[in-house]
Amino acid sequence: MNIGIINFEMAPAGVNQLLHKVISELLQAHTVTGIRLDAQTGLLTYKDYEEENVAGTFVDFRNLLQLSPLTEDITVFDTLADFDAILVIGPQQAEAFVRALNERLDRTNCLFIPVSIYRNVVETDQSLGYDTAINYVIDSILRIRDTIDSLKYPNPRLLGVQMEGNVPHQALDEMAVAIGGHVLNHDFDEQEVDGLKKALRKEFASGQTYAFLLFDERIDAKRIPGELLTDIAIDWKTHKIDESLCMGPEPTAADRILAMKMAGGIVDWLRNSQSSGKLLVKSRKAKVELY
């Protein structure tokens, strides 16, 4: 079987471990090729994994497959009709591409393998990369907390932790729970702001000298002290967390385990010669839902 693999837009922690496992398993009986769309030329380039030493350890393979940009022009991928199966790794937005590619390539089965650092993948319980990302964010905030705790300010310090990108409510909520912080969602209303004020006043009145507020880049950080919280005496400071730093470099144990489960689901799908679909994780098991 001739198998192609392409990775769109995002490669969070655990993707390289997944690729290593899948490729090393498949090379025993199949041809496996890495596919990349060059953003400059608009052409596809290929990597024959039979020529790579994929039998080595994970640490030796940090860049098994370079990222490709998502594009609306799908005609460039018509040449992939020579493959028996295409594995497509990427964020939720890439599923539309997979479905379109599946319609164009009659004899090629396509498998969408969703990954996300914010667990915003539709219909799945877990997403590869989320545990590593949230651990990085929490660890970063806790290090800041240790610094704040040793300093004195005229007013209580409110540290705004601004996440890059569009972060789902659930991800912000879980980060806030872990650090004992607060959330301001991009679609906030007056009631949510009033609730935030009430919670902050209660904490500061109890003697707490700092608090954390998590929000994403859809909110202008200057609006919070200058418009939304003008009636609370605070010392405001913003700390931005770069999305790229949440990608790794090394996956947590949870993401390593998830990567191996997903790799097993991919290999089973190929060995059973199933039709096109997407890989989901439900009840801690990876399984393919066919289109």
Side-chain angles (χ1 to χ4, degrees):
M1 185 182 292
N2 190 10
I3 302 164
I5 308 175
I6 187 167
N7 188 2
F8 284 112
E9 300 285 341
M10 178 179 287
V15 167
N16 207 54
Q17 282 71 20
L18 180 149
L19 285 171
H20 181 280
K21 180 66 174 177
V22 169
I23 294 169
S24 59
E25 288 269 344
L26 296 177
L27 278 178
Q28 300 173 27
H30 307 283
T31 299
V32 186
T33 304
I35 304 164
R36 177 175 176 266
L37 175 64
D38 189 300
Q40 300 297 322
T41 65
L43 300 176
L44 296 179
T45 59
Y46 302 91
K47 175 189 283 190
D48 185 354
Y49 286 115
E50 193 170 7
E51 300 174 358
E52 303 279 332
N53 180 25
V54 187
T57 59
F58 289 154
V59 72
D60 297 327
F61 301 96
R62 298 188 184 279
N63 296 298
L64 276 175
L65 184 60
Q66 291 184 308
L67 297 179
S68 296
L70 278 170
T71 175
E72 295 182 0
D73 182 12
I74 199 172
T75 58
V76 67
F77 296 98
D78 287 347
T79 55
L80 301 186
D82 294 334
F83 288 91
D84 299 301
I86 300 291
L87 307 178
V88 181
I89 303 170
Q92 182 62 47
Q93 305 92 287
E95 185 172 12
F97 167 86
V98 177
R99 290 183 177 274
L101 186 65
N102 182 51
E103 292 180 2
R104 293 183 71 88
L105 307 181
D106 294 336
R107 299 180 181 179
T108 303
N109 291 327
C110 302
L111 180 64
F112 174 47
I113 305 157
V115 294
S116 170
I117 62 172
Y118 294 138
R119 203 164 72 181
N120 55 351
V121 178
V122 177
E123 298 178 333
T124 192
D125 296 341
Q126 295 174 272
S127 60
L128 186 61
Y130 177 73
D131 191 72
T132 301
I134 197 171
N135 269 273
Y136 171 80
V137 172
I138 292 169
D139 185 60
S140 297
I141 295 173
L142 292 180
R143 286 200 298 268
I144 296 171
R145 184 189 66 181
D146 292 340
T147 302
I148 293 176
D149 212 18
S150 63
L151 300 174
K152 300 295 182 181
Y153 302 97
N155 294 311
R157 165 63 62 93
L158 180 59
L159 183 73
V161 180
Q162 187 174 39
M163 304 294 300
E164 184 181 7
N166 300 341
V167 185
H169 291 196
Q170 181 182 356
L172 287 174
D173 288 341
E174 291 186 352
M175 293 175 195
V177 167
I179 62 168
H182 306 276
V183 170
L184 186 63
N185 291 302
H186 74 283
D187 53 354
F188 65 85
D189 55 22
E190 185 176 345
Q191 183 177 0
E192 185 174 351
V193 174
D194 288 342
L196 173 61
K197 290 179 180 180
K198 183 178 180 180
L200 289 174
R201 288 193 178 104
K202 182 178 180 180
E203 289 183 6
F204 296 153
S206 70
Q208 188 164 318
T209 59
Y210 63 87
F212 293 100
L213 178 63
L214 283 83
F215 58 101
D216 67 24
E217 65 180 11
R218 288 173 289 185
I219 297 178
D220 183 352
K222 295 179 181 178
R223 288 188 62 197
I224 295 173
E227 180 182 332
L228 303 177
L229 302 180
T230 55
D231 52 347
I232 298 182
I234 57 173
D235 185 278
W236 171 258
K237 188 175 178 62
T238 306
H239 176 73
K240 293 185 178 181
I241 293 185
D242 194 317
E243 193 175 75
S244 63
L245 296 178
C246 297
M247 301 290 181
E250 294 296 330
T252 59
D255 272 332
R256 287 179 182 272
I257 293 169
L258 182 57
M260 294 302 100
K261 288 182 178 180
M262 293 174 68
I266 294 167
V267 173
D268 286 345
W269 175 78
L270 288 164
R271 286 176 175 167
N272 293 328
S273 300
Q274 293 178 301
S275 58
S276 297
K278 60 181 175 181
L279 184 69
L280 301 176
V281 180
K282 293 186 175 181
S283 301
R284 297 183 177 274
K285 294 182 180 180
K287 64 177 184 178
V288 174
E289 181 180 277
L290 302 180
Y291 289 149

